[in-house]
């Protein structure tokens, strides 16, 4: 039995002409307007204890286009507007399933500028992509090839806060196949001094991407603060300068994490990590900048979807598991372990441990126990994609 090809997005940068940039900016504004109006209508209906689905909002869009006030919606392609309504429907499905918070309105300044086109609204032939309402193809920088004979099912055009334009092509990628199974497993302990510490004893240095540009970023932010508030040209240029520095930092960080997670997934069948609540951890003002720079949440997300691609298993151990205080040699538990203690000696067996390597070994042991015995082994929780969790019987639960 052969598995279906993996849907994969291939993202490229492109340089639009003035006419194309104007058309896309107009489309972004209309997409945001339709999304916000549909969200307002559904919110009002929700207050009346009524539900409005996608079909109802689609009928509303048709009526809005016929009014004089919103007639400008007819100037852009209707496909991105319909896709915005579908995205809103997906957001409400996630909310009703208790997987996500209530949908929020899109801001003109802070929300992501994007528009999605389906096959009826673009033409892709001989490496040339032409969108609806445009006479010329986009000038795309093909930094890597797409799968041979691949036909995009959707095309998403976006512009980031630094003013860069991107196009994402969603295609079937037959090259992504499960790797041969192996017995290799690894425990991964994340940190700030070192980005990762592996149960093999390897330590991956923390590149500290933000620190390299901290002085330049601080100078650009001071220049922005001195500009008069409003929509003036000088303030827009200063804001764009700050955004470019942030984008350069994020690009370096993402590139490093992609290379690192790809290596870990290809070399190991089972990968065990710690289930950290990064959102709560960044509330610590002393460590917030450092925690944000290492991007633990992004690392975990990349690890999970690549493991799903290649048939690997990712297990997250409960955050309250005392991986640092537990002796990986004899299993004795130390009473206290301040963060300043990096090397410690077990009082029971006399083994000397590196704090982070010891934690990674304990995570691996706990993860392998979960993989063999099921999710009923405490403390841990299973990452989606693995076997279903096995609930504990009342008699097995601790009082």
């Amino acid at each position: 039995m052969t598995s279906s090809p993996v849907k994969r997005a291939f993202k490229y940068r492109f340089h639009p002409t003035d006419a194309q940039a104007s058309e896309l900016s107009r489309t972004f504004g209309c997409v945001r307007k339709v999304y916000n109006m549909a969200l307002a209508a559904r919110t009002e209906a929700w207050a009346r204890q009524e539900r409005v689905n996608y079909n109802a909002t689609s009928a509303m869009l048709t009526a809005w286009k016929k009014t004089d006030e919103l007639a400008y919606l007819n100037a852009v392609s209707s496909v991105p507007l319909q896709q915005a309504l579908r995205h809103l429907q997906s957001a409400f499905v996630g909310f009703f399933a208790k997987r996500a918070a209530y949908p929020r309105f899109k801001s003109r300044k802070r929300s992501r500028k994007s528009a999605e086109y389906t096959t009826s609204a673009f033409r892709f032939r001989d490496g040339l992509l032409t969108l609806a309402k445009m006479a010329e193809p986009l000038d795309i920088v093909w930094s890597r090839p797409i799968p041979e004979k691949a036909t995009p099912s959707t095309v998403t055009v976006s512009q980031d806060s630094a003013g860069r334009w991107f196009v994402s092509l969603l295609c079937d990628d037959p090259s992504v196949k499960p790797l041969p199974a192996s017995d290799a497993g690894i425990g991964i302990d994340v940190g700030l001094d070192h980005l990762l510490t592996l149960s093999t004893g390897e330590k991956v240095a923390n590149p500290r991407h933000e620190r390299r540009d901290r002085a330049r970023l601080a100078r650009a932010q001071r220049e922005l603060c001195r500009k008069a508030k409003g929509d003036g040209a000088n303030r827009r240029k200063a804001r764009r300068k700050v955004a470019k520095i942030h984008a350069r930092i994020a690009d370096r960080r993402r590139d490093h994490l992609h290379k690192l997670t790809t290596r870990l997934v290809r070399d190991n069948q089972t990968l065990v990590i710690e289930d950290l609540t990064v959102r709560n951890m960044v509330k610590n003002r002393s460590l917030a900048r450092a925690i944000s720079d290492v991007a633990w949440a992004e690392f975990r997300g990349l690890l999970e979807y690549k493991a799903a691609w290649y048939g690997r298993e990712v297990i997250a151990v409960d955050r309250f598991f005392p991986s640092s205080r537990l002796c990986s040699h004899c299993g004795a538990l130390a009473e206290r372990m301040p963060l300043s203690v990096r090397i410690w000696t077990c009082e029971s067996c006399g083994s000397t441990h590196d704090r982070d390597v010891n934690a990674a070994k304990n995570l691996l042991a706990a993860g392998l126990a979960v993989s063999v015995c099921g999710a009923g082994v405490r403390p841990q929780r299973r990452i989606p994609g693995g076997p279903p969790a096995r609930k504990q019987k009342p008699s097995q639960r601790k009082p």
Side-chain angles (χ1 to χ4, degrees), residues 352-378:
T352 301
H353 300 289
D354 179 287
R355 177 194 181 101
D356 298 330
V357 175
N358 179 69
K361 291 180 179 179
N362 286 325
L363 289 174
L364 176 60
L368 292 178
V370 169
S371 181
V372 173
C373 302
V377 177
R378 300 282 294 176

Side-chain angles (χ1 to χ4, degrees), residues 391-399:
K391 296 183 179 179
Q392 288 179 303
K393 297 179 180 179
S395 60
Q396 295 176 327
R397 297 174 184 166
K398 293 182 180 181

Side-chain angles (χ1 to χ4, degrees), residues 113-256:
K113 299 178 181 178
S114 65
E116 185 177 271
Y117 296 79
T118 58
T119 53
S120 61
F122 68 85
R123 183 174 68 253
F124 184 71
R125 294 177 182 173
D126 301 326
L128 299 178
L129 177 65
T130 306
L131 301 178
K133 302 286 185 177
M134 294 185 184
E136 300 178 359
L138 300 180
D139 182 14
I140 300 176
V141 181
W142 298 102
S143 53
R144 57 173 175 166
I146 63 174
E148 187 177 358
K149 298 181 180 179
T151 301
S153 57
T154 61
V155 170
T156 303
V157 181
S158 60
Q159 185 185 25
D160 65 4
S161 56
R164 302 179 300 178
W165 296 85
F166 295 95
V167 59
S168 179
L169 310 177
L170 185 64
C171 308
D172 289 333
D173 189 1
S175 64
V176 178
K177 299 178 181 178
L179 297 173
S182 68
D183 297 329
I186 197 165
I188 305 172
D189 181 67
V190 296
L192 298 179
D193 187 23
H194 292 87
L195 178 61
L196 300 179
T197 301
L198 308 181
S199 56
T200 58
E202 178 186 355
K203 292 189 175 183
V204 180
N206 183 1
R208 304 185 189 278
H209 301 286
E210 185 269 342
R211 180 176 292 184
R212 292 171 55 184
D213 280 340
R214 183 173 298 177
R216 184 181 303 175
L217 178 61
R219 184 165 54 250
Q221 289 173 332
R222 286 196 298 269
E223 294 176 359
L224 175 61
C225 290
R226 286 194 289 265
K227 305 302 179 184
K229 293 185 178 181
D231 291 330
N234 288 337
R235 186 172 180 83
R236 286 198 301 271
K237 287 189 290 186
R239 188 187 298 115
R240 184 68 58 83
K241 186 176 180 180
V242 173
K244 286 182 178 180
I245 299 175
H246 277 297
R248 183 165 56 247
I249 295 172
D251 288 345
R252 289 201 301 261
R253 181 187 299 121
R254 190 180 304 109
D255 178 71
H256 182 258

Side-chain angles (χ1 to χ4, degrees), residues 17-28:
T17 63
D18 293 340
Q20 291 173 341
S22 177
E23 175 64 28
L24 290 174
S25 297
R26 189 183 305 112
T27 303
F28 294 158

Side-chain angles (χ1 to χ4, degrees), residues 271-277 300 304 313-321 366-367 370-371 374-384 387-390:
L271 304 101
V272 187
I273 59 177
E274 192 173 5
D275 183 23
L276 299 176
T277 53
R300 176 173 174 171
E304 289 177 356
E313 183 181 27
V314 177
I315 300 174
V317 175
D318 192 278
R319 66 183 67 96
F320 297 111
F321 177 62
V370 169
S371 181
V377 177
R378 300 282 294 176
Q380 71 85 41
R381 76 176 179 85
R382 171 71 62 172
I383 290 294
R390 188 178 67 188

